[in-house]
Amino acid sequence: MAALDDFNAESADRAVQALRTCNAAPRFAAQVVAGRPYPDVDALVARAEEAVRGLPWEEVELAIAVHPRIGERPEGSSPEAEASRREQSAVGSADDATRAALVEGNRAYQERFDRVFLVRAAGRSPEELLAELRRRLGNDEEAERAEVTGQLAEITALRVRELVS
């Protein structure tokens, strides 16, 4: 899909399929498609963020399950893997110490919260990502769930904007 007009005119099934590459939560795509037609890209992106922030935790977990760890190169050629590679491209420039710290931080996060560390990587340096990982390790479960949902909303917004731009 190249433009908002195409997204607005597409069949519901095809629009849902396109949105699933932005966020794998089942309710997300259905809620966004139900809001069509959108007058502009900003309205679509705002609705996408709102839909993510309103997801029950079980659906957030489904959506984050397809995300790779920060610093790990996603495998495959799926739209999700390609998006993750673009979003995490700055991590490739990290020095060995930062990469090692990200690996260790990911391990610690996985042990603490039993899920992958999710963060909007686009526009952030490897050092910023590491600092965010370390900061969030101090969160309790409730605070971390809120942060994960917010980060998922930011990632989804970027991907939806890219989908129709």
Side-chain angles (χ1 to χ4, degrees), residues 68-74 88 91-92 94 98-99 102-103 106 121 129:
R69 287 183 178 84
I70 290 296
E72 289 183 4
R73 186 158 173 83
Q88 290 194 40
V91 176
T98 302
R99 284 181 196 220
L102 282 168
V103 168
N106 278 320
L129 295 171

Side-chain angles (χ1 to χ4, degrees), residues 18-39:
L19 286 169
R20 293 255 176 147
T21 67
C22 302
N23 184 310
R27 290 185 203 184
F28 162 74
Q31 289 176 0
V32 174
V33 168
R36 293 183 310 162
Y38 291 95

Side-chain angles (χ1 to χ4, degrees), residues 1 5-18 33 36:
M1 257 172 247
D5 290 340
D6 295 334
F7 176 78
N8 280 332
E10 193 60 73
S11 72
D13 287 344
R14 288 186 50 104
V16 164
Q17 286 178 336
V33 168
R36 293 183 310 162

Side-chain angles (χ1 to χ4, degrees), residues 86-164:
R86 280 191 310 277
E87 293 160 1
Q88 290 194 40
S89 64
V91 176
S93 68
D95 60 39
D96 290 345
T98 302
R99 284 181 196 220
L102 282 168
V103 168
E104 177 55 29
N106 278 320
R107 186 200 55 72
Y109 186 93
Q110 184 84 36
E111 285 179 11
R112 171 130 167 67
F113 294 109
D114 196 30
R115 63 180 161 268
V116 68
F117 170 66
L118 186 75
V119 64
R120 177 190 46 79
R124 291 181 170 164
S125 71
E127 295 76 19
E128 288 175 289
L129 295 171
L130 180 57
E132 182 70 359
L133 174 54
R134 288 176 172 161
R135 180 189 68 77
R136 286 176 47 194
L137 278 167
N139 283 347
D140 64 21
E141 180 65 23
E142 183 178 345
E144 187 55 19
R145 284 185 179 195
E147 291 219 38
V148 167
T149 301
Q151 292 299 302
L152 181 62
E154 288 183 31
I155 293 165
T156 301
L158 290 170
R159 291 180 178 184
V160 168
R161 188 174 297 281
E162 187 174 276
L163 178 72
V164 295

Side-chain angles (χ1 to χ4, degrees), residues 47-65:
R47 178 64 187 118
E49 283 189 271
E50 177 186 323
V52 173
R53 292 180 192 282
L55 290 172
W57 179 247
E58 296 75 27
E59 292 221 16
V60 171
E61 287 181 306
L62 290 173
I64 65 175

